[in-house]
Amino acid sequence: MSFETILTQDQIDAYTRQGFWRDRTITDFLDDAAARTPGKTAFIDSRRQITYAELKDEVDRCAMGFLQLGVEPGDVVSFQLPNRIEWVVTHFAASRIGAISNPLIPIYREREIGFMVSLARSKVVIVPEEFRGFDYPAMIERLRPQWPDLKHVIVVGDQPRCGALPWSDFMATAREERPDRSRLAALRPDPNEVTLLIFTSGTTGEPKGVMHTHNTLVAANDPLPARLGITDASVIHMGSTLAHLTGFLYGARLPVQTGATGVFQETWEAGAFVELVEKHRITYTSGATPFLHDLLNAPNLAGHDLSSLERFCCMGAPIPRVLVRDARRKLPHMVVLGGWGQSENALVTLGIPGDPEEKIADTDGHPWPGMRIRVVDSEGDELAPNHGGRLQVTGPFLFVGYAERLELTRESYSGEWFDTGDLARIDKDGYLKISGRVKDVIIRGGENIPVAYVENVLYENDKLDSVAVVGVPDPRLQERACACVVLKPEAGDFTFDDMQQYLKEKGVARQYWPEKLVVLPNFPRTPSGKIQKFQLRDRFQGEP
């Protein structure tokens, strides 16, 4: 099968000529690393580790296994696996033969998985036997009647479940004959073909299937080593799910693209991360802002050697300035960098080590080479520096369409520019500052409330652990701002009067003060750590 995309020959020619699309696939990098450093450790997970030579062998055997099951170029292989080496083997094997990888986040259940696999028309689904107490094969058995295109279910485990094929048997069968290298080489895909179908994490409603090619994904990782100092000696950690684009690019692919070593955490836990840094001399990690918060508050932080950790890149949400300052105090050798991106465009901007403090703390970074950003007004006209408006992006990292949503894809573009749905401003030096989402804008009596600004101020309050400002329906003013907060364990009380007094002391304009305060035990979040504001907004629908 094939999905319709918006990729044009003019784009291919332009980005190839400019050197951004190098016509390389991820298995090209694997082959290079296996030839250059066969005995070097490629990945370490909670159960085992694997060298580059061993990884290449498992990938090729898995690819042969897929062929034996009838998987053809363009077919979709869906896999809902934890951060384990089998995840990497599956993705690389699908890439080897031109199949499309569809990674699914482990916490998704019937509603999400049923929709996603149905839209993808997957031929193979791979799940763990059990993860965090959940029975995945049983879920797949319940859903399978909805998926007429599904031919095979593979379970990573040794016991047959629900008629599925155990991973061990699948790999054993693939080992019965030596991998046919010439056959695999003949199936090497065109790097401009779709290789990834990854669903947005659902902050606003129905997930969209974002499609990327080999070239867009390789291009997205190409500039990281130069800006971040990543080399083949780096040890790259990933605690975010590999099925989110952050984990996918910087956890599963960046180590191989650079010949480095990757270290996986199946589930994020700051204390365990501290131990992994010391044990494996981790040099780089990336994740959502809550991960940085957790690290800085880990109970065992002071008792371990974290001197190897050079970079912590926060992606997906603004970094409260108080966290940047806290990081510099507790881990002065570690550079914290903020960045911005989406499933549709990977990481578009990131801070630059050595930037002045105000750039690191107060912006979302500078664009990567080849990526261009602009801010436009309601008429689509580009705005001057430091003027706020809608953020648009163009460049070689951009996706090539939403699967089965061609009209939605076209509606998301203005010529070559993708409308991100974010509000932002760009300073005179080209640095980006996200101010909120178009859908997150709170309009009170005709006046816009700067959501990100108010949140950033509240984040600096010593009693508050997490903050989200959302709109509450109002019959006269249209909306009022509501501050939802999670308190730190030792905080005690935090009242509406406390909030108003605090904002007054901080000099925040009174018209920006939230008119409601809700204290919650925790926030609904996406698997990557983003706060699901639509769920917070939903709880206020219908309230007076």
Side-chain angles (χ1 to χ4, degrees):
M1 64 163 292
S2 62
F3 295 104
E4 192 169 3
T5 75
I6 58 169
L7 182 63
T8 67
Q9 189 61 48
D10 286 345
Q11 285 177 296
I12 294 171
D13 293 342
Y15 289 136
T16 301
R17 183 175 62 253
Q18 295 165 25
F20 295 116
W21 288 359
R22 298 195 286 136
D23 285 344
R24 300 268 284 166
T25 70
I26 193 62
T27 50
D28 293 339
F29 291 98
L30 173 60
D31 294 343
D32 289 348
R36 186 173 60 250
T37 55
K40 182 176 181 176
T41 299
F43 289 101
I44 301 168
D45 68 15
S46 63
R47 300 170 178 226
R48 62 176 176 135
Q49 61 185 49
I50 193 169
T51 67
Y52 272 105
E54 293 166 339
L55 179 61
K56 174 180 168 62
D57 181 66
E58 288 197 24
V59 166
D60 288 353
R61 293 184 186 281
C62 182
M64 292 300 297
F66 284 152
L67 294 174
Q68 291 168 13
L69 294 181
V71 177
E72 299 177 351
D75 285 340
V76 176
V77 175
S78 295
F79 45 105
Q80 190 181 19
L81 297 173
N83 290 6
R84 297 176 186 167
I85 290 168
E86 288 83 2
W87 194 106
V88 177
V89 171
T90 298
H91 166 51
F92 282 38
S95 300
R96 178 75 87 191
I97 62 173
I100 298 171
S101 292
N102 172 224
L104 300 166
I105 293 172
I107 68 167
Y108 286 165
R109 297 297 181 253
E110 274 91 338
R111 182 178 180 86
E112 296 90 355
I113 297 301
F115 172 83
M116 293 172 180
V117 174
S118 179
L119 186 145
R121 302 198 296 278
S122 310
K123 183 172 281 188
V124 176
V125 170
I126 306 174
V127 294
E129 188 172 11
E130 178 276 336
F131 179 59
R132 303 186 74 179
F134 186 72
D135 189 337
Y136 290 86
M139 175 182 70
I140 299 302
E141 185 177 38
R142 292 191 296 270
L143 291 171
R144 192 165 185 173
Q146 304 177 20
W147 302 329
D149 297 287
L150 183 64
K151 304 302 181 186
H152 302 281
V153 177
I154 300 172
V155 174
V156 177
D158 297 325
Q159 301 300 317
R161 292 288 315 284
C162 305
L165 176 64
W167 174 268
S168 55
D169 289 357
F170 166 69
M171 292 296 285
T173 301
R175 286 189 180 95
E176 289 178 0
E177 57 179 284
R178 296 180 61 187
D180 187 340
R181 309 288 186 190
S182 60
R183 183 182 181 190
L184 293 178
L187 288 170
R188 181 185 181 276
D190 182 332
N192 292 307
E193 293 175 355
V194 174
T195 186
L196 174 67
L197 172 60
I198 192 166
F199 284 89
T200 55
S201 50
T203 56
T204 56
E206 179 184 288
K208 299 184 289 290
V210 175
M211 298 183 292
H212 278 279
T213 69
H214 301 268
N215 267 327
T216 62
L217 296 175
V218 169
N221 271 347
D222 264 350
L224 264 72
R227 184 171 297 187
L228 298 176
I230 294 173
T231 70
D232 58 3
S234 298
V235 180
I236 300 171
H237 166 269
M238 183 51 61
S240 180
T241 172
L242 300 178
H244 183 270
L245 198 65
T246 295
F248 180 89
L249 281 175
Y250 316 120
R253 292 173 62 100
L254 184 61
V256 175
Q257 215 166 314
T258 56
T261 295
V263 178
F264 296 149
Q265 257 184 287
E266 289 190 3
T267 56
W268 169 253
E269 198 280 309
F273 172 63
V274 167
E275 295 175 0
L276 287 173
V277 173
E278 183 176 67
K279 180 178 180 180
H280 299 297
R281 308 307 296 157
I282 290 168
T283 60
Y284 167 89
T285 191
S286 55
T289 304
F291 288 24
L292 176 61
H293 169 277
D294 294 348
L295 170 62
L296 297 175
N297 291 277
N300 59 344
L301 184 65
H304 290 76
D305 178 8
L306 274 66
S307 59
S308 65
L309 188 59
E310 300 171 347
R311 304 280 187 267
F312 196 121
C313 294
C314 288
M315 306 163 182
I319 312 173
R321 285 186 292 274
V322 65
L323 285 187
V324 177
R325 300 188 189 112
D326 201 20
R328 286 180 172 162
R329 179 172 58 85
K330 294 181 178 179
L331 298 171
H333 57 275
M334 183 182 77
V335 175
V336 174
L337 299 172
W340 173 86
Q342 300 171 308
S343 298
E344 289 88 343
N345 46 42
L347 189 63
V348 176
T349 62
L350 188 71
I352 301 173
D355 272 344
E357 182 175 345
E358 65 270 16
K359 295 295 189 188
I360 297 295
D362 297 332
T363 78
D364 293 283
H366 193 275
W368 295 105
M371 297 302 288
R372 292 183 288 145
I373 57 177
R374 72 176 188 178
V375 171
V376 299
D377 61 18
S378 59
E379 302 300 317
D381 295 323
E382 186 170 0
L383 295 170
N386 296 314
H387 285 70
R390 298 175 68 100
L391 176 63
Q392 296 183 337
V393 174
T394 190
F397 306 175
L398 271 182
F399 75 131
V400 295
Y402 296 117
E404 307 296 352
R405 301 289 188 271
L406 185 60
E407 285 308 308
L408 175 61
T409 304
R410 289 172 173 158
E411 291 169 2
S412 301
Y413 278 83
S414 298
E416 66 174 326
W417 293 92
F418 174 67
D419 195 320
T420 66
D422 278 347
L423 297 172
R425 62 186 69 236
I426 302 168
D427 70 17
K428 62 181 179 59
D429 300 316
Y431 282 74
L432 177 69
K433 178 61 177 177
I434 297 292
S435 55
R437 295 282 295 167
V438 171
K439 59 184 69 65
D440 284 346
V441 172
I442 298 173
I443 304 176
R444 183 191 184 279
E447 183 171 9
N448 290 354
I449 306 294
V451 172
Y453 165 69
V454 177
E455 288 176 341
N456 209 22
V457 173
L458 287 172
Y459 253 116
E460 295 184 7
N461 189 291
D462 292 339
K463 290 188 174 184
L464 304 185
D465 184 84
S466 299
V467 178
V469 176
V470 299
V472 178
D474 184 272
R476 186 172 73 87
L477 297 172
Q478 183 180 358
E479 287 183 300
R480 295 177 184 268
C482 172
C484 301
V485 302
V486 176
L487 302 182
K488 293 180 179 178
E490 69 282 4
D493 292 332
F494 185 74
T495 67
F496 181 76
D497 289 342
D498 292 336
M499 178 182 70
Q500 288 197 315
Q501 181 61 32
Y502 174 76
L503 292 173
K504 180 180 180 180
E505 293 172 357
K506 285 290 186 178
V508 176
R510 191 176 183 88
Q511 61 265 35
Y512 294 162
W513 294 4
E515 296 172 87
K516 184 181 180 73
L517 173 71
V518 175
V519 178
L520 298 172
N522 50 61
F523 283 151
R525 295 182 183 272
T526 69
S528 63
K530 297 179 187 176
I531 297 171
Q532 291 181 306
K533 286 192 172 182
F534 77 95
Q535 289 198 26
L536 296 175
R537 285 191 292 266
D538 286 349
R539 68 182 289 151
F540 301 118
Q541 295 302 313
E543 290 191 5

